[in-house]
Amino acid sequence: MKAITALVFLVSIAGRAAAFAPDFDRHFTAQALRIDLHHGGDAARETYSLDELRAEPFYAGSRTNLVDTLNLGEYIVRVFDLKTNALIFSRGYSTVFAEWSTTDEALAGFTRVFHESIVMPFPKAPVQVRIERRDRNRVFKPVFDLAVDPADWHINRERRFRELRVVELLDNAPSERAVDLVILGDGYRRDEMHKLRKDADRLLGALFDMEPFKSRKRDFNVRLVETVSADSDIDEPREGRWKGNLLGCSFDAFDIPRYVLSFSNKVMRDVAGNVPYDAVLILANAKRYGGGGIYQLYAISTVDNEHSAFVFTHEFGHSFAGLGDEYYTSEVAYNDMYPRGVEPWEPNITAMLDSTAVKWGDLIAPGTPVPTPDDSLHADVVGCFEGAGYSAKGLYRPTRDCRMFSKKADSFCPVCRRAIERAIDHYVK
Ligand SMILES: [Zn+2]
């Protein structure tokens, strides 16, 4: 009798969980809705303007994990069914604007605007789309609301760049149960497509040679879009070099020589939207050391530098798993990216406000001193090492070295590995 009661109880819990989880087929089609926005402001203010709504052929994300439980990113988009007010989709992400809003220029009150997109499954009924940003205490507060009626004839259904050739590099599972990577090239001429293919093979090889990607390779699909630019190479404004590169990748982003960002979001999304994708990797056809990665936006790496494999994997750690920079000695453009006394949302950086409740505490072996001395005795242990997130004091990283800390590290630390596994799980389950 007892056993039967327990069974009934379990069934009712499972039933309730299912009732709370949004039903994909009830709310969405297999296409994607892309909301293109101009996002501008300065350090204190931000505004949004709608550019356009677009219907794209594929939504590649999970059909069961519609509500984001990872709680990563500077922003989150939440989508509600307009009739019932039920939350049917959410996703955390970060933006170019958020980074720019911490620069000297933004602090001085100069305003700029950046183009960005929200990609979500295409709704079957009218929805309310709400964007929230974290305040200084990392609490999400609404910053923009938009109602979308899927029957609205303004939704643009034009297919762009569909003439570009797509090459399947890895095909392991249906896109709703896989991590779908799309690789785009920037600064490759039409006669350099063979080089793009070779560069993609080499850098993907480096990625899938590292844990946890190595063990989880079968959870990934990879498609390469043969993105053709007029010129070879990417922009380098400080040197006066301006190239006809389709995706607008540029060195000197926020005046940091090695920082490469793409400032042509609309084109980038239009090109990527021709295939199902969860994550964008951009190969910048340049020699100089450089790259950039923003959570849920893209990872960019130059391809012909001796450290390209390091940059490619490091930046993908940012864009795919929301990992923070564990280093603290290099020049960056940001001011006060991690306010004192506030725990960062990044899974691999802690302010250690309570040394008995570190967020990766379950990975710290009993007896390990916290904070952990940065010496050879603790070379291979997980602890809390002071110096992380561009600050030598007050922020801590999980291990002495990691792919998110230095070029010398040939692997991700256990804390970063677990964060990557959780990101993979989000797409495949
Ligand atoms: Zn790490």
Side-chain angles (χ1 to χ4, degrees), residues 323 326 348 398-399 401-405 412-416:
L323 300 176
E326 295 178 14
N348 60 331
T399 56
D401 203 357
C402 167
R403 187 46 63 108
M404 298 312 289
F405 180 73
F412 286 101
C413 73
V415 171
C416 288

Side-chain angles (χ1 to χ4, degrees), residues 361-382:
D362 58 315
L363 295 177
I364 301 176
T368 308
V370 170
T372 315
D374 198 340
D375 56 28
S376 55
L377 203 64
H378 299 90
D380 298 312
V381 306
V382 176

Side-chain angles (χ1 to χ4, degrees), residues 158-167 190 193 224-229 246 267 270-275:
E158 176 190 352
R159 290 279 304 276
R160 298 170 183 153
F161 297 105
R162 65 178 193 275
E163 70 279 9
L164 298 178
R165 206 165 80 95
V166 175
V167 185
R190 188 171 298 283
M193 288 301 115
L224 170 77
V225 181
E226 291 194 344
T227 322
V228 179
S229 292
L246 188 70
V267 176
D270 284 345
V271 172
N274 282 300
V275 298

Side-chain angles (χ1 to χ4, degrees), residues 206-340:
L207 183 75
F208 288 117
D209 219 24
M210 284 180 82
E211 293 295 0
F213 299 105
K214 193 174 182 174
S215 315
R216 302 291 300 268
K217 190 174 178 183
R218 291 178 62 82
D219 288 321
F220 284 79
N221 297 329
V222 185
R223 299 173 187 88
L224 170 77
V225 181
E226 291 194 344
T227 322
V228 179
S229 292
D231 289 333
S232 197
D233 208 345
I234 64 167
D235 299 334
E236 193 165 357
R238 210 181 280 256
E239 301 298 320
R241 286 215 327 262
W242 294 94
K243 297 290 179 176
N245 51 321
L246 188 70
L247 305 182
C249 283
S250 177
F251 284 107
D252 305 324
F254 306 147
D255 294 349
I256 301 297
R258 70 173 193 288
Y259 198 27
V260 180
L261 292 178
S262 156
F263 293 99
S264 300
N265 177 69
K266 198 174 185 75
V267 176
M268 186 274 282
R269 295 284 182 177
D270 284 345
V271 172
N274 282 300
V275 298
Y277 74 94
D278 297 307
V280 178
L281 287 152
I282 301 175
L283 304 186
N285 191 20
K287 269 199 184 68
R288 193 155 74 70
Y289 178 78
I294 294 178
Y295 182 52
Q296 286 288 306
L297 179 58
Y298 51 55
I300 302 175
S301 168
T302 61
V303 293
D304 288 332
N305 187 269
E306 58 175 319
H307 300 299
S308 289
F310 161 77
V311 175
F312 183 77
T313 49
H314 173 98
E315 301 303 343
F316 191 56
H318 287 304
S319 71
F320 182 65
L323 300 176
D325 279 317
E326 295 178 14
Y327 60 77
Y328 55 91
T329 50
S330 306
E331 182 198 13
V332 290
Y334 319 123
N335 298 283
D336 207 16
M337 176 81 102
Y338 298 106
R340 281 295 122 102

